[in-house]
Amino acid sequence: TQLLEQSPQFLSIQEGENLTVYCNSSSVFSSLQWYRQEPGEGPVLLVTVVTGGEVKKLKRLTFQFGDARKDSSLHITAAQPGDTGLYLCAGARGNNDMRFGAGTRLTVKP
Amino acid sequence: EAGVAQSPRYKIIEKRQSVAFWCNPISGHATLYWYQQILGQGPKLLIQFQNNGVVDDSQLPKDRFSAERLKGVDSTLKIQPAKLEDSAVYLCASSLAVGNTIYFGEGSWLTVV
C-alpha cells in the first residue's frame, strides 16, 4: 500500500485541454513536492508546498496543498505536448522521511 | 554546475550475479540518496547518507544490497546476488542538506535475466 495515492494513474488528453491530477494520503506532511520525470531521466523538482491551503503557480501549472496538509493537486491549463511525462508527488514527514507516490503518467497529443 | 553523475547507465546481468553502481553527487552536497524505481512505481528510498554516515537504511534489503560513501563524496551501491525482482532504475540524488531541494541523476537501468 502506497503512503501517497496518486490519481489518475494514466491520463491521455489532446493539446489545449485542461487537467487536474491528485495526490492523497491519510498522513500529515510537513511539506509536499511535485516532480516531473521524462523517459530515461531522473525526476526534476517542479514545486514545494509547505503551508496548508497554499497555492503556487508555475506558468500554466497550479499547485495546491490541502488545508490539512494531507493532499495536493496539480492543475495544468491548456496542456501542451511538452507537458508529457510522469508526475510524481512526494511527501516529507520530518527531515529524514520523504515518500513518493506511484505517479500519474500524462500524455498530451498534438 | 555539474549535476549528479551516475554510471553505468545500463546493465544487464544474470540472476545470482553481482553488480555495482557509482554515484558522484553535486559538489558540496552533504546528503546523498539511493532510490529504486521499479517500472510503473514511484522511487523508493533505499538509503540516505549525511556526509559519510547512514541516516536511513530501513528499506534497504541488507541481505543482498550494500552501499557506502567512504569519504563523504562518491557513493557505490552493490547488489549481490541479484534477483529478477531487482530489475529497476537505481536513482542517485543529492541535496545540500537534509530538507533542501533534492537533485536526481539520470539513473542506472538494471535488467536481471
Side-chain angles (χ1 to χ4, degrees):
Chain A
T1 302
Q2 294 271 163
L3 181 64
L4 285 158
E5 297 290 338
Q6 289 193 244
S7 61
Q9 189 176 359
F10 298 96
L11 186 58
S12 181
I13 61 171
Q14 292 295 134
E15 182 176 4
E17 291 183 359
N18 301 331
L19 66 113
T20 303
V21 298
Y22 301 92
C23 175
N24 295 302
S25 177
S26 57
S27 294
V28 176
F29 297 103
S30 56
S31 68
L32 194 140
Q33 300 179 335
W34 283 93
Y35 292 79
R36 185 170 74 204
Q37 185 176 21
E38 298 187 22
E41 299 181 8
V44 175
L45 180 68
L46 296 174
V47 76
T48 300
V49 286
V50 297
T51 306
E54 181 177 3
V55 176
K56 281 193 175 180
K57 291 192 175 183
L58 185 66
K59 296 183 181 178
R60 293 176 294 101
L61 279 59
T62 302
F63 305 85
Q64 184 162 8
F65 201 12
D67 291 341
R69 290 185 290 134
K70 294 182 179 181
D71 54 81
S72 181
S73 64
L74 158 59
H75 182 79
I76 302 179
T77 303
Q80 299 176 1
D83 296 327
T84 293
L86 178 67
Y87 288 82
L88 295 160
C89 67
R93 300 184 299 180
N95 282 339
N96 294 338
D97 187 7
M98 190 169 80
R99 303 298 173 102
F100 281 82
T104 292
R105 191 164 297 280
L106 172 66
T107 302
V108 182
K109 300 175 185 175
Chain B
E1 180 183 83
V4 177
Q6 291 189 243
S7 68
R9 281 278 279 149
Y10 306 95
K11 191 75 176 179
I12 301 174
I13 62 173
E14 294 182 350
K15 58 183 179 182
R16 291 186 290 274
Q17 286 187 325
S18 63
V19 64
F21 300 114
W22 172 82
C23 173
N24 180 237
I26 293 173
S27 178
H29 281 197
T31 311
L32 185 147
Y33 313 79
W34 282 102
Y35 287 87
Q36 179 194 58
Q37 186 174 22
I38 294 173
L39 187 65
Q41 298 182 18
K44 181 182 85 171
L45 180 68
L46 293 176
I47 190 167
Q48 178 181 340
F49 292 95
Q50 179 68 18
N51 295 309
N52 60 352
V54 176
V55 173
D56 182 357
D57 64 355
S58 58
Q59 298 190 91
L60 186 73
K62 298 180 184 65
D63 57 334
R64 297 183 301 104
F65 286 65
S66 65
E68 59 183 13
R69 193 185 185 198
L70 292 176
K71 297 183 179 179
V73 181
D74 294 2
S75 177
T76 55
L77 174 70
K78 296 180 182 178
I79 307 173
Q80 182 179 12
K83 292 185 175 181
L84 296 177
E85 58 261 37
D86 298 332
S87 295
V89 180
Y90 291 86
L91 294 162
C92 180
S94 70
S95 63
L96 267 175
V98 175
N100 285 59
T101 299
I102 296 176
Y103 296 89
F104 285 84
E106 292 181 318
S108 292
W109 297 65
L110 174 66
T111 301
V112 182
V113 298

